[in-house]
Amino acid sequence: MATAAAAVTRGVGAKAAAALRGGCRTAPRGRPRAGPVRHLCTAPGTAPDMKHYLWERYREAKRSTDELVPSIMNNLLNPDAIFSNNEMSLSDIEIYGFDYDYTLVFYSKHLHTLIFNAARDLLINEHRYPVEIRKYEYNPNFAIRGLHYDVQRAVLMKIDAFHYIQLGTVYRGLSVVPDEEVIEMYEGSHVPLEQMSDFYGKSSHGNTMKQFMDIFSLPEMTLLSCVNEYFLKNNIDYEPVHLYKDVKDSIRDVHIKGIMYRAIEADIEKYICYAEQTRAVLAKLADHGKKMFLITNSPSSFVDKGMSYIVGKDWRDLFDVVIVQAEKPNFFNDKRRPFRKVNEKGVLLWDKIHKLQKGQIYKQGNLYEFLKLTGWRGSKVLYFGDHIYSDLADLTLKHGWRTGAIIPELRSELKIMNTEQYIQTMTWLQTLTGLLEQMQVHRDAESQLVLREWKKERKEMRQFLPREQGAGIHMSVCHLITRKLEIGNNILRSYLINV
């Protein structure tokens, strides 16, 4: 997957390969005949040693790469920077919108363990699953966001932007599925577009390939794999579709039944990461006359306790509109659900909503009614969320809002990309690829043996590159990053760095 760091090293690698051209750098096509040979460092009348020639080019490329790495190390990407795939001016932004979970508030590592354990217990107590699955514990390094799960085959995998299964990332239970079996299973490694599911896990062909994009889905993927592992290890015949549905329902019930909310409210310091500058950023936006709103799927009492902890008990004074239990992504697409006001005791009122008032909390509703009541339309709105699909895509494509993706994983990815090992490997990988492209014209047997060795080295390097451990997935959650967005007053920079 192309990333900012990979793009840099790709360009540098191309320069290193280009430096090898010219002078005594160009070999003839095929195995040379005796006689004068142009562009080879050989005496007239002698036949060049192709093996020697190719390995000399290899060594020169290696030296060029080693010389380039220090200059790259002096121009590293800032892990705390803000990136953009479109330019914008914050002076044109009048309204700032925020999601709550993993946007305004971040959770500690304990939360996913809590969700995993609670859902696992629900499987045992309510869905009658074997009590032995309680021996499985949550592994935070098993999965990352963006993976696909084939519901009918019970396998977890990474599928890239071109719908190719990334071999080596396919897991059945907690074990890797051999590449040969994957290719046989899917008749290749490409998954046709018509067989890919949409965000909701449905497919027009009756197959289900669920993609997990929510940070809360990490324990769901892990639990699915653990239960699959138990059934496989104990030779238990089971229906994969039933397993997927039961795990999905258990994860849902952890939220709907309030198990997660009650646990967090009971020990808020354990589960919520305190961000001392969040209030300062929100207050600064308010002081500059910016309108602000909050749209979240979480319930009002839960949001109130969390915001009171990180912002202060008067947090509602900073927001012009607060909407809870919005049921996104339906909030952005379903025009039928009206808003309901929630009083101080959390009771839903029945009166018709003619205006969204500051200091009040509203439940449900829909975006179309929101736009009608506020008039907040188009590119003057900048909305932040953590879910690429349910928070951001529709708002940009259908309503013209500016959107910002909060991606916690990005910081750790950039830190890996800034390591000398990663830069050295990526630069040499790109240089070697360029060298292979140049020298592939030599079709003689001696040359082909050398080229095969280079291809083997390139394959080994690709496998060696730093990876997230989640199902063997290479780094990067999305394709958002193309260039850095400089922010004049640093308001959002300080917000994003410190939350």
Side-chain angles (χ1 to χ4, degrees):
M1 182 175 292
T3 61
V8 172
T9 53
R10 185 164 52 247
V12 173
K15 291 178 182 178
L20 302 176
R21 302 189 185 104
C24 297
R25 301 292 187 267
T26 305
R29 238 178 239 277
R31 189 167 185 82
R33 298 176 180 175
V37 179
R38 291 178 296 173
H39 305 306
L40 281 176
C41 297
T42 57
T46 63
D49 181 347
M50 289 304 299
K51 182 177 180 180
H52 174 78
Y53 169 78
L54 291 173
W55 281 113
E56 184 58 32
R57 302 291 78 75
Y58 175 95
R59 286 188 286 271
E60 289 183 15
K62 196 76 168 178
R63 287 193 293 270
S64 297
T65 299
D66 293 340
E67 292 170 359
L68 286 167
V69 169
S71 64
I72 304 175
M73 293 296 297
N74 291 327
N75 294 278
L76 300 178
L77 291 166
N78 180 6
D80 293 323
I82 297 171
F83 298 88
S84 174
N85 56 6
N86 196 4
E87 292 185 3
M88 58 177 286
S89 172
L90 289 186
S91 62
D92 297 330
I93 303 299
E94 300 176 9
I95 304 104
Y96 288 81
F98 301 93
D99 183 23
Y100 177 71
D101 296 302
Y102 288 103
T103 301
L104 284 175
V105 62
F106 281 80
Y107 297 99
S108 72
K109 61 183 179 181
H110 302 292
L111 179 60
H112 286 168
T113 301
L114 166 68
I115 296 172
F116 178 91
N117 291 342
R120 181 195 60 197
D121 292 344
L122 286 173
L123 279 179
I124 295 171
N125 298 329
E126 297 190 8
H127 295 274
R128 316 299 293 177
Y129 275 65
V131 71
E132 287 81 9
I133 67 172
R134 191 170 276 121
K135 70 180 181 181
Y136 291 99
E137 297 181 352
Y138 179 65
N139 178 4
N141 298 316
F142 178 72
I144 62 171
R145 283 197 290 168
L147 303 184
H148 282 79
Y149 182 77
D150 189 325
V151 175
Q152 294 184 331
R153 294 183 174 95
V155 290
L156 185 68
M157 71 192 80
K158 179 181 178 181
I159 299 178
D160 67 18
F162 302 100
H163 301 156
Y164 280 93
I165 299 170
Q166 299 298 284
L167 298 178
T169 73
V170 183
Y171 275 60
R172 181 182 289 113
L174 302 177
S175 302
V176 179
V177 180
D179 294 348
E180 298 78 12
E181 185 178 342
V182 174
I183 292 172
E184 181 181 357
M185 190 187 310
Y186 291 96
E187 299 181 347
S189 61
H190 183 260
V191 181
L193 177 62
E194 63 268 18
Q195 294 181 17
M196 294 287 289
S197 67
D198 60 17
F199 169 65
Y200 306 102
K202 301 174 183 177
S203 170
S204 59
H205 280 233
N207 298 319
T208 50
M209 189 78 79
K210 162 73 175 176
Q211 186 177 23
F212 293 97
M213 289 298 296
D214 195 312
I215 296 181
F216 284 129
S217 66
L218 296 178
E220 182 176 357
M221 286 185 275
T222 306
L223 184 58
L224 270 171
S225 298
C226 287
V227 180
N228 272 319
E229 180 76 5
Y230 174 80
F231 287 154
L232 292 169
K233 290 291 185 183
N234 291 277
N235 296 315
I236 297 175
D237 188 25
Y238 70 103
E239 173 54 62
V241 175
H242 296 334
L243 171 61
Y244 169 74
K245 183 180 183 301
D246 291 343
V247 170
K248 180 181 178 182
D249 289 348
S250 296
I251 293 287
R252 179 203 62 197
D253 288 346
V254 171
H255 294 76
I256 290 180
K257 294 184 176 181
I259 298 171
M260 183 188 79
Y261 301 128
R262 288 192 296 271
I264 294 175
E265 290 177 22
D267 196 351
I268 204 163
E269 294 183 0
K270 176 181 179 181
Y271 292 106
I272 293 183
C273 299
Y274 182 70
E276 60 182 13
Q277 293 196 26
T278 302
R279 180 183 175 84
V281 173
L282 296 175
K284 193 169 186 179
L285 288 173
D287 291 343
H288 281 75
K290 306 297 183 181
K291 301 290 186 181
M292 287 187 290
F293 63 90
L294 173 65
I295 302 178
T296 176
N297 287 346
S298 295
S300 59
S301 62
F302 177 72
V303 173
D304 181 62
K305 289 193 176 181
M307 290 296 286
S308 297
Y309 175 67
I310 62 174
V311 177
K313 294 187 179 299
D314 60 343
W315 66 271
R316 277 191 286 174
D317 295 339
L318 297 171
F319 289 88
D320 296 272
V321 177
V322 176
I323 301 169
V324 299
Q325 292 178 276
E327 297 183 20
K328 295 179 291 183
N330 292 334
F331 179 87
F332 297 126
N333 302 300
D334 190 345
K335 299 180 180 181
R336 297 169 297 177
R337 301 180 312 152
F339 286 106
R340 296 194 70 172
K341 186 183 292 186
V342 183
N343 68 13
E344 294 295 332
K345 296 182 178 181
V347 177
L348 291 174
L349 304 181
W350 49 263
D351 48 325
K352 185 176 178 63
I353 305 300
H354 297 281
K355 182 180 179 181
L356 298 177
Q357 299 175 325
K358 185 171 183 176
Q360 299 294 324
I361 293 181
Y362 300 90
K363 179 182 177 181
Q364 295 179 350
N366 64 82
L367 181 63
Y368 301 91
E369 189 72 11
F370 177 85
L371 298 175
K372 177 182 176 181
L373 295 175
T374 62
W376 295 344
R377 299 176 181 275
S379 58
K380 64 183 179 180
V381 180
L382 175 57
Y383 180 77
F384 288 95
D386 71 289
H387 198 299
I388 306 300
Y389 297 153
S390 66
D391 277 329
L392 308 176
D394 288 342
L395 294 175
T396 298
L397 297 174
K398 295 182 180 180
H399 303 285
W401 283 13
R402 300 285 193 172
T403 54
I406 308 298
I407 307 176
E409 300 95 333
L410 194 55
R411 180 184 279 118
S412 59
E413 288 190 4
L414 290 178
K415 286 181 178 178
I416 293 174
M417 292 177 183
N418 284 342
T419 61
E420 185 173 359
Q421 179 192 29
Y422 182 89
I423 291 173
Q424 176 78 43
T425 304
M426 280 298 300
T427 306
W428 175 233
L429 178 62
Q430 299 299 332
T431 303
L432 184 58
T433 298
L435 194 60
L436 278 163
E437 291 172 354
Q438 287 182 42
M439 301 305 176
Q440 64 182 343
V441 296
H442 305 303
R443 309 303 300 172
D444 58 281
E446 191 175 60
S447 298
Q448 287 298 305
L449 284 173
V450 175
L451 295 179
R452 278 198 289 271
E453 288 190 48
W454 294 358
K455 290 176 182 177
K456 180 181 178 183
E457 180 183 356
R458 183 175 64 168
K459 182 179 179 180
E460 291 173 350
M461 276 196 299
R462 286 172 171 169
Q463 295 173 343
F464 177 74
L465 279 171
R467 294 169 179 261
E468 295 287 351
Q469 294 182 22
I473 302 307
H474 187 274
M475 297 175 301
S476 219
V477 174
C478 61
H479 301 274
L480 292 177
I481 311 161
T482 54
R483 64 177 177 271
K484 183 177 176 180
L485 173 64
E486 298 295 344
I487 301 219
N489 56 14
N490 285 327
I491 290 178
L492 293 179
R493 183 183 302 283
S494 62
Y495 164 69
L496 291 173
I497 289 174
N498 289 284
V499 297

